[in-house]
Amino acid sequence: MRVKRIEQIRDLKQQAGGEINIELLQPLLEKYKGKKGSLIPVLQGTQDIYGYIPEQAFLEISKKLGYKLSSLYGVVTFYAQFRLSPVGKHIIKVCHGTACHVQNAKKITEILQDILKVSDGETTEDKLFTLESVACLGCCSLAPVMMIGDETYGKLTEKSTKKIIREIKNSEKQKK
Amino acid sequence: MSKIKAIVGLGSCGIAAGAGKVYDKLNELIKTEKYKVSADKTSCIGMCYKEPLVEIIDNDKSYLYGGVTESVLEEILEKHTKEHKPVEKYVVHSEYTETEEDVFWEGQVKIALRHCGIINPEVIEEYEAKGGYNALKKIAERKISYDEVIEEILDSGLRGRGGGGFPTGLKWKFARQSESDEKYIICNADEGDPGAFMDRSLLEGDPHAVIEGMIIAAYAIGANSGVIYCRAEYPLAIVRLNIALKQARKKGYLGKNIMGIDGFNLDIYIKEGAGAFVCGEETALIASVEGERGMPRKRPPFPAASGLWKKPTNINNVETLANIPWIIDKGAEEYAKYGTEKSKGTKVFALTGKINRGGLVEVPMGMTIHDIVFKLGGGIQGGKKFKAVQLGGPSGGCIPASLDDTIVDYDSVNATGAIMGSGGMVVMDETTCMVDMARFFLDFTQKESCGKCTFCRVGTKRMLEILTRITEGEGKEGDIEKLEELSVQIKEGSLCGLGQTAPNPVLTTIKYFRHEYEAHIKEKRCPAKNCAKLLTYEIIPDMCTGCTVCAVNCPVDAIDGERKEIHFIRQDDCINCGMCFSKCNFNAIKVY
C-alpha cells in the first residue's frame, strides 16, 4: 500500500481546487499547540474532519504548529491510516488477516471489486463506496470479515456480501 | 420475588455477530415491561464461535446461552420468567446442566482473562468487587518496597507475553536501575499480528486489570508517566480504556501520592496508533509516540536506559500487565504452580482458522497443541484432515500435524522453528496450501517493512517475488535454495524483530512441507488444490446433466456443449478461475 499512496498524491494535485473549509481545523490546532509528540493525533483529527488530509490542511498544520512539510508528508505516507485523497461515503474494509485468508477473504474482495467496479483502494464513481484491504480486524472467529463504517459483518459468503451492498445502496436511494 | 438478570456479551466480535441488536431488543422488552428482568453488559468470554452470547442469572443460578438471536432471546426470557428453568438446547455453559460445549472449558485456567465476560468493564466497582485493585492496596498497606515487587515478579517466572518471552521482572529491574527524574511505563497494545485478538479482548473486557498492572509496574520501576499505545482499529477498546482511566483517576488509583504512598505520582494517557505493524517493536513504538515515522532505532541504548524522550522506559504487553495484579495479590508461588520449568503460568491463545470452536482460550503452559486443537477446539471443520498450526503470526512459523505433541512453552515452540508470539493459533487443514501461506505472510511483512534496513526492504520483496512465481506455476529449480539463502541474509541484516523473523514462515514451511514446494516447482501441481493457476478443471461426463450453468458462467467461454448434452472444457482457453466448479449444482467438475 505504501507505494500506492505516492500515486495518490499525484492524483491529489490533479484534483486541486476542491474547496475545503480550513476554519474547521483551528480548534484542533489550538488544542495541540506547543505539545510535544502531537503530530499523529493532529493528523488523525484532521482526517476525522475531512475524511482525508487535504493539501491546504498540510500547509495550515505546517504554518501553525511549525512542522516541516517534508516531515508531515513523511509521517502521513508511513502510516496506513492516513489518506491523501477524498473517500467515498462508506469505506469498506475487507479483512485479510491470517484467519480470513485461510477462509478465502480473497474471494470477498474479488466479489466486491466485481460489483462495485473498482480496484483495491479506489472509490466508486458515485462516491458511495471506497474499497480497502486491511490487516486483521480482530474478529478472527467470524472470518471472513469486512467492516463498513463502524459496522462489522462476519461469516461472509458471496450471497451475504452482495446483499449487504445492495441494502446500503437501497437505503442511500431512499435517502435521496 | 426472584430476580432475573440478563447479561449480553458486547465485545467487538459479539457486536459483529449481532449482540448489539440483541442488547437493544432486551432493553426494549424491559421498557415495554414484557419481562421483569434487569439488563447488563459484559465483554468477550472467549466462546467466539457461539456469539452472540447472553448469560441469564436466575435465582443466583447462571446459564450461558449461545447463538442468541432476537427471537431466541424472547424464548429464553419467556421460559425463565415463567418457569425459572433454562432452555437447554441453547445453553452452552452452566454449572447446573451438562452441555456438549463443556469440553471447551476443561483444562482452561483463567488468570489473565479472569474477569473477561464476567464483569461489566465499564463499572469500576464490579472490578473492585472481584478483588480488583487489591494488589495495589496490598502494596500500600504492607509498605512493600519496589525491590520486593520486582523480586515477586522475578519469582513468578512471568515472561513477556507479546512474543519475545523476556523475563518481565528482569526488564523492570533494568528500568529501575536507570537513574532519572522522569521515567515512562508504556503498555504495548498495538496488537498487529493477523490472527491474534487476545489483547483487544482484554482491553475491552477488563481494562482495569491492565491499568492496575501498569500502576504496579510504574511503582516498581519508578515511573511517573504512562502511555497506552493502542491500535486505532480497536475503537471499542479505546472507549472502554478512556472510561476506565477516568474512573481510576476519580478513585485515586491514578494521580498524586497514589494510595497514600508518598511521592508516587502517575497519570496514564492513550496514544492511538495509526496503522503500522512495525510499531509493535519497542523502539518503533517509541518513535511513533513521539510523533515520528515508526521506524526502529538502534539498540543499545535499550529503552530501559534511554527510551521515550530519551528517558528510561519500560514497555510491557497487555497480557503481561493483566497478569501482574493477580501475581501480586495471590503470590508468585501460586502463579508458578502453573506451567513448565522455564515457562510459568498460563498463555492466552486465539484459536482460529479451520477449527470447530474458534475463540479465546487460556491454558497453562505445557499443554500439547493436539489437546488445544482437538479437545478445546473440537477438531477440524467438516471433519477434514489436520495439517498444521501457525503460531506467532508473520514472525512465527507452521508446526505440522506430525509434531502436534509439542507442548506450548517458549522453548519447545522455538525448537520447532516457530515462535510463541502473541498467541495467534491459526489452524490449517488439508485444503490450505503451505506455499501460499508462506507467500501470504511474506506479502504482509513486505508491505509492513519500514524500509530502513536494505535486507528487510529488498530481501522480503525478492522472496515474495519467488514465492508468487512458485504459486503461479513459474517456479524454477533452485528456488527453494535461493529462498533459504535470502532468509539467512535477511535475518542477519535486519535491525529489528520484524526483519529478523520475517523469513520464519518460509523457513518452517520449507522445513516441514518441502514436498509441497517441490510439487509446485517440479510437477506444477498444488497438492492442496489452492493455487488457481496450477489447477486443471475437467467435467465428469457421468455426472454432467447438460444444464449449461457452467457454460453460461464461464468468463472466457471455454466450455462447449449443447443443452442436455455433456459439456467439455477447452483446456487451452481455460483460465482456471474455478467459476464452473463453484457454479455446478451436480458436483460434475473435477479439480486436480
Side-chain angles (χ1 to χ4, degrees):
Chain A
M1 288 301 281
R2 239 148 242 158
V3 184
K4 237 182 197 170
R5 268 184 258 116
I6 296 170
E7 290 162 14
Q8 284 174 359
I9 199 141
R10 282 190 205 122
D11 292 346
L12 181 78
K13 291 229 171 91
Q14 286 164 7
Q15 310 165 358
E19 290 293 313
I20 63 152
N21 182 0
I22 207 74
E23 285 311 306
L24 295 173
L25 204 56
Q26 299 311 333
L28 186 79
L29 298 181
E30 212 48 54
K31 185 178 163 194
Y32 286 106
K33 209 169 187 174
K35 285 188 187 164
K36 60 178 182 180
S38 57
L39 180 52
I40 291 171
V42 168
L43 292 168
Q44 283 168 331
T46 308
Q47 185 154 295
D48 281 344
I49 297 171
Y50 302 108
Y52 70 109
I53 302 181
E55 196 174 341
Q56 292 100 309
F58 270 106
L59 299 168
E60 191 70 14
I61 295 169
S62 166
K63 200 166 79 188
K64 292 274 166 71
L65 300 182
Y67 290 102
K68 285 192 196 108
L69 272 175
S70 58
S71 61
L72 278 178
Y73 183 67
V75 169
V76 168
T77 49
F78 186 83
Y79 295 99
Q81 189 186 14
F82 298 121
R83 293 189 199 88
L84 292 167
S85 53
V87 284
K89 191 169 172 195
H90 302 278
I91 300 169
I92 308 176
K93 294 178 180 168
V94 184
C95 179
H96 283 260
T98 322
C100 289
H101 176 78
V102 173
Q103 302 282 17
N104 216 352
K106 209 172 120 202
K107 183 92 194 167
I108 303 298
T109 295
E110 281 170 10
I111 291 164
L112 288 167
Q113 286 176 343
D114 191 43
I115 51 179
L116 298 174
K117 309 265 177 294
V118 289
S119 332
D120 212 14
E122 288 181 357
T123 303
T124 54
E125 233 168 66
D126 57 7
K127 302 264 179 276
L128 213 48
F129 296 101
T130 298
L131 181 64
E132 286 182 353
S133 290
V134 297
C136 203
L137 290 170
C139 302
C140 308
S141 52
L142 299 168
V145 180
M146 67 174 170
M147 208 168 161
I148 303 180
D150 284 332
E151 188 103 8
T152 314
Y153 302 87
K155 294 193 174 158
L156 295 173
T157 59
E158 184 171 353
K159 232 180 173 174
S160 67
T161 309
K162 285 182 176 167
K163 196 177 151 207
I164 292 159
I165 299 298
R166 202 166 50 231
E167 277 170 4
I168 295 175
K169 276 187 180 166
N170 284 343
S171 76
E172 286 296 332
K173 262 184 213 154
Q174 277 170 7
K175 277 184 204 162
K176 279 178 192 167
Chain B
M1 213 188 92
S2 65
K3 275 190 198 144
I4 295 173
K5 193 173 175 186
I7 307 166
V8 184
L10 288 176
S12 294
C13 43
I15 293 171
K21 283 179 195 145
V22 174
Y23 187 66
D24 292 343
K25 177 83 184 172
L26 176 65
N27 281 314
E28 187 196 312
L29 289 170
I30 292 171
K31 218 174 162 187
T32 56
E33 296 186 351
K34 189 163 179 193
Y35 301 109
K36 282 214 167 67
V37 296
S38 59
D40 203 352
K41 57 183 171 183
T42 183
S43 196
C44 177
I45 198 162
M47 285 182 108
C48 306
Y49 66 103
K50 283 284 181 192
E51 296 276 13
L53 293 159
V54 176
E55 186 187 358
I56 303 277
I57 299 174
D58 186 350
N59 281 330
D60 292 328
K61 285 184 178 176
S62 152
Y63 301 94
L64 183 66
Y65 289 98
V68 183
T69 58
E70 288 163 65
S71 61
V72 172
L73 176 75
E74 280 200 66
E75 195 182 331
I76 294 167
L77 291 177
E78 184 81 24
K79 185 108 171 174
H80 276 284
T81 46
K82 296 234 165 90
E83 302 171 38
H84 295 288
K85 277 185 187 152
V87 187
E88 298 215 346
K89 64 177 169 180
Y90 299 119
V91 177
V92 290
H93 186 54
S94 172
E95 275 178 61
Y96 306 98
T97 170
E98 276 186 21
T99 77
E100 282 176 18
E101 312 302 329
D102 286 349
V103 59
F104 181 76
W105 303 92
E106 275 168 27
Q108 285 207 55
V109 176
K110 302 242 176 182
I111 293 179
L113 297 176
R114 60 197 178 276
H115 302 131
C116 286
I118 293 170
I119 62 166
N120 182 339
E122 294 174 12
V123 182
I124 190 170
E125 286 79 14
E126 291 203 16
Y127 177 68
E128 289 174 320
K130 293 275 174 198
Y133 289 109
N134 273 1
L136 194 58
K137 282 177 195 151
K138 187 173 165 182
I139 292 173
E141 278 162 18
R142 300 196 193 163
K143 300 200 166 42
I144 301 173
S145 72
Y146 53 77
D147 278 332
E148 286 169 307
V149 172
I150 293 174
E151 210 52 48
E152 192 79 13
I153 299 302
L154 272 173
D155 287 346
S156 75
L158 178 68
R159 293 168 70 170
R161 296 289 190 251
F166 191 78
T168 307
L170 209 53
K171 211 173 184 181
W172 288 12
K173 206 169 179 174
F174 292 146
R176 168 49 80 177
Q177 283 163 353
S178 302
E179 278 181 35
S180 171
D181 52 339
E182 257 181 88
K183 285 188 197 177
Y184 291 93
I185 169 80
I186 297 180
C187 168
N188 183 350
D190 190 46
E191 185 176 53
D193 274 9
F197 55 94
M198 59 287 293
D199 292 350
R200 171 182 64 71
S201 198
L202 264 167
L203 295 169
E204 287 176 3
D206 197 10
H208 283 291
V210 181
I211 293 169
E212 191 181 357
M214 279 181 85
I215 300 171
I216 296 169
Y219 173 75
I221 65 163
N224 35 25
S225 192
V227 180
I228 301 175
Y229 186 84
C230 186
R231 283 183 90 189
E233 285 91 336
Y234 290 172
L236 186 62
I238 292 169
V239 168
R240 291 199 176 146
L241 274 171
N242 271 318
I243 295 173
L245 286 172
K246 217 170 163 183
Q247 292 168 337
R249 278 182 210 123
K250 211 171 163 192
K251 290 242 177 185
Y253 297 124
L254 289 172
K256 294 230 149 64
N257 299 321
I258 295 168
M259 307 298 290
I261 303 171
D262 212 23
F264 179 32
N265 308 329
L266 177 73
D267 196 19
I268 298 174
Y269 66 97
I270 299 171
K271 201 97 188 181
E272 276 182 52
F277 176 69
V278 70
C279 288
E281 204 278 340
E282 291 193 345
T283 55
L285 188 152
I286 289 170
S288 183
V289 175
E290 291 174 355
E292 292 178 23
R293 288 166 70 97
M295 289 163 108
R297 294 167 181 174
K298 203 166 93 20
R299 293 180 300 182
F302 287 92
S306 169
L308 185 58
W309 309 115
K310 297 208 162 40
K311 301 286 180 191
T313 304
N314 179 68
I315 303 179
N316 287 127
N317 152 276
V318 172
E319 191 187 332
T320 314
L321 289 168
N323 277 305
I324 301 289
W326 194 96
I327 295 170
I328 297 296
D329 191 26
K330 304 266 199 295
E333 220 172 281
E334 194 63 27
Y335 189 78
K337 273 186 191 165
Y338 299 104
T340 60
E341 199 199 329
K342 286 188 178 161
S343 304
K344 299 293 183 199
T346 57
K347 176 80 195 89
V348 183
F349 288 99
L351 210 49
T352 58
K354 307 274 178 112
I355 189 142
N356 278 323
R357 297 197 197 103
L360 274 190
V361 296
E362 182 169 0
V363 298
M365 297 274 191
M367 195 180 248
T368 65
I369 287 173
H370 183 273
D371 281 355
I372 296 177
V373 172
F374 287 93
K375 285 194 179 155
L376 302 179
I380 310 298
Q381 282 175 359
K384 290 213 171 83
K385 211 173 132 201
F386 173 42
K387 188 180 207 172
V389 292
Q390 210 283 344
L391 262 181
S395 321
C398 293
I399 301 177
S402 58
L403 291 179
D404 72 356
D405 56 348
T406 304
I407 56 168
V408 288
D409 77 359
Y410 290 98
D411 309 288
S412 309
V413 171
N414 286 350
T416 66
I419 63 163
M420 188 81 110
S422 55
M425 194 184 265
V426 184
V427 177
M428 297 160 193
D429 68 9
E430 55 195 323
T431 63
T432 314
C433 170
M434 301 316 273
V435 186
D436 176 62
M437 214 56 225
R439 194 200 57 79
F440 166 77
F441 282 116
L442 245 292
D443 183 48
F444 181 85
T445 33
Q446 187 269 123
K447 277 182 193 152
E448 294 295 341
S449 169
C450 77
K452 187 166 184 163
C453 310
T454 317
F455 283 92
C456 176
R457 181 183 70 241
V458 185
T460 53
K461 183 112 188 151
R462 293 290 95 83
M463 282 179 80
L464 178 65
E465 283 166 3
I466 296 173
L467 286 163
T468 308
R469 230 179 44 222
I470 296 175
T471 55
E472 290 180 350
E474 308 283 326
K476 289 185 288 209
E477 281 293 333
D479 273 350
I480 300 178
E481 291 70 25
K482 187 147 273 175
L483 284 172
E484 288 172 327
E485 191 191 332
L486 279 166
S487 295
V488 174
Q489 290 170 349
I490 294 169
K491 272 172 173 269
E492 285 175 358
S494 301
L495 200 57
C496 84
L498 189 144
Q500 287 161 4
T501 60
N504 281 352
V506 181
L507 289 176
T508 52
T509 47
I510 292 178
K511 185 170 171 190
Y512 299 115
F513 300 96
R514 199 182 182 100
H515 56 278
E516 284 199 27
Y517 279 84
E518 283 168 352
H520 279 78
I521 295 169
K522 291 180 188 157
E523 301 163 36
K524 308 289 176 214
R525 185 174 66 83
C526 175
K529 295 179 189 158
N530 179 78
C531 300
K533 291 206 172 154
L534 297 178
L535 299 179
T536 308
Y537 292 88
E538 212 168 70
I539 294 173
I540 310 166
D542 289 350
M543 306 284 274
C544 182
T545 62
C547 71
T548 75
V549 163
C550 58
V552 170
N553 281 290
C554 179
V556 290
D557 288 326
I559 303 181
D560 292 333
E562 293 298 313
R563 177 169 283 280
K564 303 223 166 162
E565 276 172 27
I566 296 166
H567 284 53
F568 292 98
I569 300 173
R570 290 194 315 278
Q571 296 299 341
D572 289 349
D573 296 326
C574 176
I575 55 164
N576 302 334
C577 68
M579 188 61 96
C580 51
F581 181 76
S582 64
K583 291 288 176 190
C584 180
N585 296 319
F586 304 96
N587 296 324
I589 310 241
K590 184 167 74 172
V591 198
Y592 59 91

